[in-house]
Amino acid sequence: MSKEKIALFTIFGGTGDLAQRKLYPSLFKLYQKGYLQDHFAVIGTARRPWTDEHYHQVVADALASLHADADQVTAFASHFYYQSHDVTDVQHYITLKRLSEKLDAQYELQGNRIFYLAMAPNFFGTIARHLKSEHILTENGFNRVIIEKPFGHDFESAKTLNDELAETFDENQIYRIDHYLGKEMIQNIAAIRFGNNIWESLWNNRYISNVQITLSEKLGVEERAVYYDNSGALRDMVQNHIMQILSLLTMDQPVEFTEDDINIEKVKALRSLRPYQPEEVAKNFVRGQYAPTESVKGYRQEDKISPASNTDTFVAGKVMIDNYRWSGVPFYIRTGKRLADKFTRIDIVFKRPVINIFNHELPDNQVADNGLAPNVLTINVEPTEGFELRMNAKNVGQGFATTPVQLNFDHDATAAANSPEAYERLLHDILNGDATNFTHWQEVAYSWKFIDVIQQYWDDHQPSFPNYKPGTMGPQAAADLLAQDGHRWVYQG
């Protein structure tokens, strides 16, 4: 049975950075692996007056870092067509319809259409309406639309955006892409939990003390300054990436490993988020902004950033899940710019034994730290992909003094190199009509409702910024957040 997928991709924003950095290389890798062969075509649209020939060169340039065979690159690029397009102009959609039908016949695409909206969200509704009114959607094949974050700026704007899309597309046709859901180790969360009884039997408030999720970035805002200053770390990272990771960590086992059953369990988990009252936000959430040093600009000194900006470049928070499985277990989250290093990790901290029978083995000058060191399961998402397990073992030598030891597993370099990049995985899922690793509307809605209370409190209270140095793991208040509960961050920086 052939693994070839058949579809016409139309990329609104085909000249943009996302298309060139992520989409074209990912589509090419699918082409190299035979998932795309003879029966596919791509229409790139944007305002620029490019020719097809120039577009082919842009696509080829986007693949330069892959060091692929030149003839293969040329053959791949020949499937790309460019249309200069104003998304508000009806006439341009009429032209797009003619081109789509021509390519459908030429490549035998069976009416299968994938529309990628790689543009600002304020255009999503306009594009969707025109796709419907100008009859660019087909009746004999599938129609799927892909949208990038930000999916709204708060719950109300997200709902408006969703309502606009819903006038044209059904929920099962909308693919809200979150590239973190395409990462190898994020997808591994389900395998770890539901494929190993040793973990799923302990995956609850009886055995787990706390959970820590860290998405750390070493660089500043770079070329995303304008977008970032209107967003901040809470909206840019917590509402989507971290909330999705949290739902995968806390959901109950689905009846089957299917899109619908997983979505049901993720929504149940997000519905169980304990909503904070405004006065509780200051106790449970911390925000930060990086300061200048001799070698690094502070956030307020970055290009296109106001010197009085109060945008958060760091967030740490305590999230509680009010259900039978997780009641009483704090989930600590943090993310930020200009931190100690670039990495993503999840630390599952287990409760210590109730009684430490080895206390008498401690040297006279050493005080027991409330018993044995906790066991910690770490899921390393990036840049290293793998697991770490910290456990207590007997010290070598006389007596029974214990010491923490670490068991590690990392994907080897060859496996990691051959592993599909996140966008490649997700585009392949879309071709298969599999939305398991995408965000559904109810997940978006519950995430925004939780985040909006925090953001509103911050908007009403002026922060004291800047409050952390580049190269650290954020402001001291982030460490104090855990210390008030008797915990500490596993990764200290």
Side-chain angles (χ1 to χ4, degrees), residues 446-493:
Y446 285 114
S447 296
W448 271 126
K449 288 178 180 179
F450 179 79
I451 294 297
D452 280 352
V453 176
I454 301 164
Q455 188 64 59
Q456 186 60 56
Y457 179 86
W458 285 355
D459 290 345
D460 294 341
H461 295 78
Q462 297 300 308
S464 177
F465 281 166
N467 63 354
Y468 71 94
K469 289 178 60 177
T472 67
M473 285 307 296
Q476 177 60 35
D480 297 341
L481 180 69
L482 275 68
Q484 68 186 6
D485 296 333
H487 302 308
R488 65 197 295 268
W489 293 105
V490 174
Y491 180 87
Q492 299 286 313

Side-chain angles (χ1 to χ4, degrees), residues 334-408:
R334 61 177 170 174
T335 184
K337 301 272 187 193
R338 292 287 184 203
L339 299 183
D341 209 345
K342 177 175 175 57
F343 63 89
T344 298
R345 62 185 285 159
I346 301 162
D347 295 293
I348 315 297
V349 183
F350 291 86
K351 292 181 178 179
R352 304 166 191 258
V354 177
I355 298 173
N356 181 6
I357 64 173
F358 305 109
N359 266 344
H360 66 280
E361 293 290 340
L362 292 170
D364 293 338
N365 63 348
Q366 185 176 339
V367 178
D369 182 17
N370 194 28
L372 296 161
N375 301 141
V376 181
L377 172 65
T378 297
I379 304 172
N380 287 313
V381 179
E382 60 181 355
T384 303
E385 294 180 349
F387 311 98
E388 299 172 12
L389 176 60
R390 272 167 266 189
M391 55 189 290
N392 296 301
K394 175 187 172 298
N395 247 330
V396 175
Q398 296 286 357
F400 271 85
T402 60
T403 186
V405 297
Q406 189 161 298
L407 309 179
N408 295 339

Side-chain angles (χ1 to χ4, degrees), residues 18 54 61 130 223 265 285 337 346 460:
L18 173 68
H54 180 74
D61 290 345
H130 283 301
E223 73 281 353
E265 299 304 335
F285 267 78
K337 301 272 187 193
I346 301 162
D460 294 341

Side-chain angles (χ1 to χ4, degrees), residues 169-184:
F169 296 98
D170 295 332
E171 174 64 19
N172 62 8
Q173 296 176 306
I174 301 173
Y175 292 75
R176 299 172 190 86
I177 203 163
D178 182 335
H179 71 275
Y180 265 77
L181 296 182
K183 292 182 180 292
E184 179 70 43

Side-chain angles (χ1 to χ4, degrees), residues 243-273:
M243 286 291 122
Q244 283 296 307
I245 294 171
L246 187 67
S247 69
L248 292 170
L249 290 169
T250 59
M251 72 179 189
D252 287 334
Q253 180 169 314
V255 175
E256 294 184 16
F257 195 75
T258 63
E259 172 191 336
D260 289 342
D261 286 343
I262 291 172
N263 175 234
I264 288 169
E265 299 304 335
K266 287 172 70 179
V267 169
K268 282 168 59 179
L270 292 170
R271 282 183 62 192
S272 300
L273 289 169

Side-chain angles (χ1 to χ4, degrees), residues 76 92 123 226:
F76 172 73
H92 286 194
F123 293 117
V226 174

Side-chain angles (χ1 to χ4, degrees), residues 3-10 27 30 35-36 39-41 100 104 108-116 131 135-146 168-170 172-175 426-434:
K3 62 182 179 179
E4 181 184 11
K5 307 303 174 185
I6 299 171
L8 169 64
F9 292 84
T10 302
L27 289 171
L30 293 175
Y35 295 112
L36 297 175
H39 302 290
F40 86 98
S100 299
D104 196 301
E108 300 177 352
L109 302 179
Q110 302 176 9
N112 294 336
R113 304 278 169 90
I114 296 174
F115 304 96
Y116 204 124
L131 291 176
H135 306 290
I136 298 174
L137 305 181
T138 66
E139 296 181 358
N140 60 316
F142 60 70
N143 296 280
R144 296 166 188 162
V145 62
I146 311 169
T168 300
F169 296 98
D170 295 332
N172 62 8
Q173 296 176 306
I174 301 173
Y175 292 75
L426 296 175
L427 287 171
H428 181 258
D429 287 347
I430 292 164
L431 284 163
N432 284 327
D434 181 0

